[in-house]
């Protein structure tokens, strides 16, 4: 290993070292690979010349040791349990910021000044309505359709409505598409909810803030006045901040991969929604509540803990474990506190499901199986309980997550488009199927 350049700056990855791979593959000569450093976080081995130099690929299913891109947006230290948006700790943003300010930060890299903040808020709010024709799409779905199924379809269909912001080569169109997506996602999620319960769609109200307007569109009805509860609006704003971005998770990587071919941002976001839906990712918030409802009483907790530990049982304790956090998820800590505040304010602090959740958390945090594997509660463990207390049905939980994560997806997508080293994402494989063989006619097959 030779020391070359140790300086790591925020201007892009810097070469720090090289590693030497001796006698690899078809090449008898040792091959030197650069070691790159970011601003913070582990160094990476740059293997871009590996195949050319050795004829070998790397193998990393699930990308457990692979950095797929350079990014300046979000940083996670999984061992410390730290999450930074553009360098700012999530705890400070949760305490002092609001969702639209966080959106600005994620998109532009800096917190807005007062003038920028007012303009951004105004510009995003301008786009809250969807094309009236979009309403007709909803009528094509069954009333019992899962809201995420509706979201995938309707958000993908936005590509058919907003041709004037689909040219990804034009920075202005990219910005308009970003604002449209951030603004319209709550409208679409609320419409999916209203459709499922047979109530009329409620148009956005631009005099309300982002979280207030989302609640208004979900809970107002045309026949009587609706006053947004400020405690619920604050809790919703917090949920949105905590879910806004999370580095190269499955849905964000999906958005980047879809976008790497030049697909438009509405189609890429629909791909992100599809990826988020799974229970190992954003669908976990719905799955946590389903699990707590199934557990139903304190006496049954040990049975579920045993099932989670049983290798022959596919059951996992939902809301526990994380690919990156091997410590308490910092978002879960904030959510845990908020959960108590919201339930107290709503006068439902004796919520039985919360009691089961707390007991489950206590047992799991002491159990050798979970301790050995660093399985801590993740953000989804508490968000479902808060959302339920707010009156949001379980099936809509992941759609709320999608509303929040849209800014992260679109910020990462824009970053990728602007990256001069961007290429179409095209992983390779290790092939284990049959080697070449000759076609056998049907009368000769056994
Ligand atoms: N319950 C029981 N055992 C678990 C759990 C769990 N929730 N999570 C992981 N394990 C065990 C695995 O069985 C494995 O044990 P082994 O080493 O004896 O084989 C070990 O812990 C490591 O698990 P992996 O599956 O290798 O970890 P991975 O990083 O691939 O998975 C994941 C992470 C998908 C989040 C996983 O922990 C899980 O399925 N959790 C439940 C679903 C969930 O809450 N998802 C939300 C994630 S956060 C988010 O998307 C916002």
């Amino acid at each position: 290993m030779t020391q070359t350049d140790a300086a790591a700056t925020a201007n892009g990855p810097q070469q720090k070292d090289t590693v030497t791979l001796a006698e690899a593959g078809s090449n008898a000569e040792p091959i030197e690979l650069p070691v790159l450093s970011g601003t913070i976080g582990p160094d990476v081995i740059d293997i871009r010349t590996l195949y050319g130099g050795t004829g070998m690929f790397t193998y990393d299913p699930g990308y457990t040791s692979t950095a797929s891109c350079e990014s300046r947006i979000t940083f996670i230290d999984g061992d410390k349990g730290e999450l930074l948006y553009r360098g700012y700790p999530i705890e400070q943003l949760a305490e002092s910021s609001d969702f639209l300010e966080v959106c600005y930060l994620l998109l532009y890299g800096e917190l807005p000044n007062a003038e920028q903040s007012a303009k951004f808020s105004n510009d995003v709010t301008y786009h809250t309505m969807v094309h009236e024709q979009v309403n007709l799409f909803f009528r094509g779905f069954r009333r019992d359709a899962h809201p995420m199924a509706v979201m995938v379809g309707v958000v993908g269909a936005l590509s058919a409505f907003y041709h004037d912001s689909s040219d990804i080569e034009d920075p202005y169109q990219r910005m308009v598409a970003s604002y449209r997506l951030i603004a319209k996602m709550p409208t679409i999620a609320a419409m999916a909810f209203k459709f499922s319960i047979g109530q009329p769609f409620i148009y956005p109200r631009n005099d309300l803030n982002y979280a207030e307007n989302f609640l208004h569109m979900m809970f107002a009805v045309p026949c009587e006045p609706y006053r947004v509860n400020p405690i619920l609006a604050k809790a919703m704003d917090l949920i949105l901040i905590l879910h806004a971005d999370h580095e190269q998770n499955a849905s964000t990587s999906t958005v980047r991969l879809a976008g790497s071919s030049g697909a438009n941002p509405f189609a890429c976001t629909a791909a992100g929604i599809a990826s988020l839906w799974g229970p190992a990712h954003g669908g976990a918030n719905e799955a946590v509540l389903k699990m707590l409802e199934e557990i139903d009483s304190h006496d049954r907790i040990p049975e579920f803990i045993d099932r989670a530990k049983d290798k022959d049982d596919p059951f996992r304790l939902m809301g526990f474990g994380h690919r990156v956090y091997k410590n308490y998820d910092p978002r879960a800590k904030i959510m845990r506190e908020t959960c108590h505040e919201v339930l107290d304010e709503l006068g439902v602090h004796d919520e039985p499901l919360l009691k089961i959740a707390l007991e489950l958390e206590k047992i799991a945090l002491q159990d050798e199986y979970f301790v050995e594997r660093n399985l801590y509660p993740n953000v989804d463990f508490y968000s479902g309980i808060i959302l339920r207390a707010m009156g949001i049905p379980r099936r809509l939980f992941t759609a709320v997550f999608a509303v929040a994560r849209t800014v992260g997806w679109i910020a990462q997508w824009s970053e990728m488009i602007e990256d001069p080293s961007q290429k179409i994402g095209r992983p390779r494989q290790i092939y284990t199927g049959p080697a070449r063989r000759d076609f056998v006619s049907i009368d000769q097959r056994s």
Side-chain angles (χ1 to χ4, degrees):
M1 202 180 264
T2 54
Q3 187 74 26
T4 52
D5 180 1
T9 73
N11 298 324
Q14 302 292 308
Q15 183 168 341
K16 176 185 181 188
D17 259 340
T18 56
V19 283
T20 305
L21 210 60
E23 295 174 33
S26 54
N27 195 345
E29 295 295 313
I31 173 168
E32 268 200 355
L33 297 170
V35 173
L36 307 181
S37 283
T39 333
I40 37 178
D43 293 341
V44 302
I45 303 173
D46 179 351
I47 57 161
R48 280 175 288 186
T49 57
L50 184 73
Y51 181 62
T54 66
M56 291 200 301
F57 296 135
T58 54
Y59 178 56
D60 184 19
Y63 310 112
T64 53
S65 295
T66 296
S68 61
C69 62
E70 179 203 341
S71 182
R72 296 162 193 220
I73 302 175
T74 294
F75 175 77
I76 304 171
D77 185 328
D79 296 323
K80 277 207 285 191
E82 180 179 63
L83 170 61
L84 311 176
Y85 290 168
R86 300 283 191 182
Y88 294 103
I90 191 68
E91 294 81 0
Q92 292 180 21
L93 293 168
E95 174 77 30
S96 312
S97 191
D98 62 58
F99 180 64
L100 275 188
E101 190 173 67
V102 166
C103 289
Y104 186 98
L105 174 68
L106 290 170
L107 287 172
Y108 295 110
E110 296 296 337
L111 287 166
N113 62 28
E115 195 185 322
Q116 289 164 332
S117 176
K119 180 170 181 345
F120 180 70
S121 179
N122 188 59
D123 289 350
V124 169
T125 305
Y126 177 77
H127 290 287
T128 49
M129 286 207 307
V130 288
H131 192 291
E132 195 62 13
Q133 195 80 1
V134 170
N135 294 356
L136 301 179
F137 261 84
F138 283 87
R139 313 215 184 278
F141 289 102
R142 284 168 55 132
R143 292 268 174 199
D144 62 356
H146 194 285
M148 288 297 275
V150 175
M151 298 280 285
V152 172
V154 175
V155 174
L158 294 181
S159 320
F161 288 90
Y162 300 109
H163 301 291
D164 60 343
S165 58
S166 295
D167 177 359
I168 65 159
E169 304 301 334
D170 178 347
Y172 178 75
Q173 292 201 28
R174 289 203 298 270
M175 184 193 71
V176 174
S178 306
Y179 287 19
R180 280 190 166 138
L181 277 159
I182 295 167
K184 292 182 200 308
M185 282 292 278
T187 312
I188 294 169
M191 287 169 88
F193 173 47
K194 288 298 198 190
F195 183 75
S196 73
I197 56 172
Q199 287 187 3
F201 298 141
I202 298 292
Y203 284 93
R205 263 185 53 192
N206 289 355
D207 59 320
L208 299 175
N209 74 26
Y210 194 91
E212 289 168 347
N213 180 44
F214 188 20
L215 292 172
H216 160 76
M217 290 188 291
M218 279 192 285
F219 296 121
V221 285
C223 49
E224 57 186 56
Y226 171 77
R227 198 187 132 267
V228 180
N229 180 332
I231 296 147
L232 300 193
K234 180 100 186 50
M236 176 56 82
D237 197 69
L238 183 83
I239 289 172
L240 298 174
I241 292 175
L242 296 183
H243 289 83
D245 194 42
H246 211 231
E247 207 227 60
Q248 307 311 320
N249 57 83
S251 57
T252 302
S253 298
T254 303
V255 169
R256 277 187 179 259
L257 194 56
S260 76
S261 71
N264 73 68
F266 303 105
C268 296
T269 304
I273 297 170
S275 171
L276 186 74
W277 190 0
H281 191 12
N285 54 13
E286 182 179 345
V288 168
L289 216 76
K290 193 160 169 263
M291 175 187 78
L292 294 175
E293 284 167 4
E294 250 174 68
I295 296 177
D296 192 40
S297 80
H298 271 61
D299 317 344
R300 296 193 63 207
I301 293 176
E303 178 197 324
F304 279 77
I305 297 264
D306 287 347
R307 281 188 61 197
K309 294 178 349 188
D310 182 354
K311 290 284 153 220
D312 298 325
D313 188 330
F315 173 77
R316 284 187 164 196
L317 219 49
M318 299 314 289
F320 275 78
H322 197 276
R323 169 60 63 77
V324 183
Y325 293 120
K326 300 304 166 200
N327 200 326
Y328 220 104
D329 179 340
R331 302 166 303 170
K333 261 191 202 158
I334 301 168
M335 204 68 101
R336 189 180 196 271
E337 283 166 26
T338 307
C339 189
H340 286 289
E341 281 165 23
V342 170
L343 296 181
D344 281 351
E345 289 286 347
L346 293 174
V348 287
H349 44 271
D350 54 352
E351 160 71 82
L353 288 193
L354 179 66
K355 288 188 175 163
I356 294 175
L358 290 179
E359 187 63 17
L360 195 63
E361 182 198 29
K362 201 167 113 198
I363 296 175
L365 287 177
Q366 290 164 356
D367 190 293
E368 201 182 321
Y369 173 94
F370 291 89
V371 174
E372 264 177 11
R373 290 169 178 76
N374 296 314
L375 298 172
Y376 292 88
N378 57 49
V379 66
D380 292 321
F381 191 65
Y382 290 103
S383 61
I385 298 169
I386 305 184
L387 291 171
R388 182 175 185 267
M390 292 167 100
I392 295 173
R394 197 173 82 194
R395 279 158 53 93
L396 202 70
F397 290 179
T398 314
V400 175
F401 192 159
V403 169
R405 185 54 60 84
T406 297
V407 63
W409 290 331
I410 214 70
Q412 302 259 357
W413 170 82
S414 299
E415 183 181 64
M416 179 192 68
I417 302 285
E418 285 160 18
D419 182 347
S421 68
Q422 189 266 327
K423 283 177 185 301
I424 185 168
R426 177 55 169 95
R428 300 303 301 268
Q429 61 175 5
I430 174 164
Y431 176 71
T432 54
R436 186 194 159 102
R437 51 183 171 164
D438 290 325
F439 181 79
V440 181
S441 61
I442 197 160
D443 53 326
Q444 301 203 348
R445 293 176 211 158
S446 50

